[in-house]
Amino acid sequence: VQLVESGGGLVQAGGSLRLSCAASGSTSSINVMGWYRQAPGKQRELVADISRGGSTNYADSVRGRFTISRDNAKNTVYLQMKGLKPEDTAVYYCRAQKWTSHYWGQGTQVTVST
């Protein structure tokens, strides 16, 4: 499974961005897809994830501001980010779970300026 993220960039505080992650290769039986982020000097943390059936899970820090969604036909997961804060600045990684294996994308930088 290969994952390619897109949509990162530089935005002012209060702004919005939409991240996309497209899966390719052996995509059958992919269950949970999600977004993680890692800021400099910090551990990678879960932002949000979504099951194949649409059940979602959010970190407390982003709940109400970020929305995760997926298009199973396109093997793509999205992260709509609104009300961005400087503390949201990080490299955002897509992850896909297939059976007991996890796959990661290369990451996309999100920078929120004051």
Side-chain angles (χ1 to χ4, degrees):
V1 176
Q2 294 80 46
L3 302 172
V4 178
E5 301 106 332
S6 61
L10 173 64
V11 64
Q12 287 188 332
S16 300
L17 282 175
R18 188 192 194 211
L19 306 183
S20 299
C21 171
S24 62
S26 182
T27 58
S28 62
S29 300
I30 288 178
N31 184 9
V32 178
M33 298 187 74
W35 290 95
Y36 288 70
R37 67 186 181 187
Q38 187 167 20
K42 294 187 177 181
Q43 290 188 329
R44 192 172 297 188
E45 62 177 3
L46 172 70
V47 177
D49 61 26
I50 183 168
S51 71
R52 191 170 189 85
S55 297
T56 58
N57 179 42
Y58 292 93
D60 289 343
S61 58
V62 306
R63 187 175 290 112
R65 300 187 296 123
F66 293 8
T67 303
I68 190 169
S69 60
R70 69 190 281 177
D71 184 333
N72 290 329
K74 296 182 178 180
N75 295 307
T76 300
V77 63
Y78 306 95
L79 186 68
Q80 178 67 54
M81 305 184 291
K82 298 181 179 180
L84 283 161
K85 304 175 181 179
E87 51 263 43
D88 294 318
T89 295
V91 178
Y92 284 68
Y93 296 91
C94 176
R95 190 181 92 156
Q97 177 184 335
K98 178 178 178 177
W99 301 114
T100 58
S101 298
H102 298 140
Y103 303 87
W104 292 93
Q106 81 286 353
T108 185
Q109 176 71 45
V110 171
T111 302
V112 184
S113 64
T114 55

